């Protein structure tokens, strides 16, 4: 609370409202407090903070060459695409293997749009990106900062979260592209 300026505007009613909010514990519930503070529930956590501004996110898609790397400075991450010749695949949320022969056009990185949906790996049918974020407990204010790798047809990989069924590489695939999300401090690896 010290970073929020003067505490003199915080009154008993505000404390009562925060306690009531905490008791309900419904994700997405929020109340405004003096000095620009907000109290909100985020996946069973009570957070009291100044609303922070999301970093400026690139509005137009960014081309991701194969091989190549795109640095997203505002997020302090990079996304790397490389050709691999081995069907052996490490399992990591920050790595995705795609069959290059299933791609339509070039790979691009963009951020979510209203109504985005895709066919998650291992599932039948479509899923809304919003539901994927909720299922993975991605806080609302971070959802617009998750990089999405697409081709001309649609989503290929929601970086660090879920791959689309369309581009799964099979062991018989000869043309494999490995996509990796790296922290910028680790990008030399």
């Amino acid at each position: 609370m010290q970073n929020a300026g003067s505490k003199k505007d915080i009154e008993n009613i505000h404390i009562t409202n925060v306690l009531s909010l905490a008791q309900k514990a419904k994700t997405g519930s929020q109340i405004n407090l003096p000095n620009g503070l907000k109290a909100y529930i985020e996946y069973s956590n009570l957070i009291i903070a100044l609303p922070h501004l999301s970093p400026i996110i690139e509005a137009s898609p960014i081309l991701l060459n194969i091989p190549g790397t795109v640095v997203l400075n505002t997020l302090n991450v990079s996304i790397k695409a490389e050709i691999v010749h081995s069907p052996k695949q490490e399992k990591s949320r920050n790595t995705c293997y795609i069959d290059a022969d299933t791609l339509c056009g070039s790979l691009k990185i963009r951020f979510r749009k209203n109504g985005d949906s895709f066919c998650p790996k291992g599932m039948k049918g479509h899923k809304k990106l919003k539901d994927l974020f909720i299922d993975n407990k991605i806080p609302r204010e971070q959802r617009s900062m998750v990089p999405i790798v697409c081709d001309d047809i649609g989503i290929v990989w929601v970086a660090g979260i879920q791959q689309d069924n369309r581009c799964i590489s099979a062991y018989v695939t000869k043309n494999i592209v490995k996509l990796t999300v790296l922290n910028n401090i680790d990008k030399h690896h």
Side-chain angles (χ1 to χ4, degrees):
M1 293 283 250
Q2 290 175 331
N3 293 338
S6 172
K7 292 184 261 185
K8 69 177 182 175
D9 295 332
I10 302 290
E11 298 176 6
N12 283 341
I13 187 68
H14 300 120
I15 294 167
T16 302
N17 289 344
V18 169
L19 292 173
S20 174
L21 181 73
Q23 286 173 338
K24 291 178 189 168
K26 183 176 179 219
T27 295
S29 299
Q30 67 179 20
I31 57 171
N32 293 318
L33 298 170
N35 301 320
L37 284 172
K38 275 193 186 293
Y40 57 96
I41 302 295
E42 184 177 277
Y43 300 111
S44 74
N45 295 313
L46 170 66
I47 298 169
I48 300 174
L50 287 167
H52 59 279
L53 298 173
S54 298
I56 297 169
I57 300 298
E58 291 82 358
S60 52
I62 306 160
L63 182 66
L64 175 59
N65 292 316
I66 306 171
T69 302
V70 168
V71 178
L72 301 168
N73 285 323
T74 55
L75 302 179
N76 202 32
V77 298
S78 300
I79 297 182
K80 180 179 182 181
E82 58 190 313
I83 298 167
V84 293
H85 301 290
S86 169
K88 184 179 177 188
Q89 300 176 4
E90 63 187 82
K91 294 202 177 205
S92 165
R93 287 181 75 99
N94 289 330
T95 304
C96 169
Y97 294 86
I98 59 173
D99 181 347
D101 295 332
T102 63
L103 294 175
C104 179
S106 56
L107 286 179
K108 295 169 250 344
I109 298 171
R110 66 170 176 80
F111 296 89
R112 76 177 185 142
K113 297 186 239 179
N114 285 339
D116 266 345
S117 68
F118 74 123
C119 297
K121 179 179 179 178
M123 290 180 60
K124 292 183 178 178
H126 281 75
K127 182 171 197 137
K128 289 183 180 179
L129 214 49
K130 176 183 175 183
D131 294 335
L132 177 76
F133 290 146
I134 290 168
D135 292 349
N136 283 273
K137 297 188 181 333
I138 306 296
R140 185 175 294 163
E141 66 275 358
Q142 291 178 18
R143 294 174 192 170
S144 62
M145 296 182 277
V146 174
I148 299 168
V149 180
C150 300
D151 65 3
D152 291 351
I153 293 176
I155 294 173
V156 171
W157 184 39
V158 180
I161 302 175
Q162 185 74 52
Q163 182 177 359
D164 186 88
N165 262 331
R166 176 173 54 94
C167 300
I168 294 173
S169 68
Y171 285 106
V172 295
T173 303
K174 300 273 192 243
N175 205 359
I176 302 169
V177 174
K178 177 183 178 183
L179 299 173
T180 310
V181 177
L182 302 164
N183 288 328
N184 282 348
I185 55 172
D186 297 334
K187 68 183 176 186
H188 59 278
H189 292 304

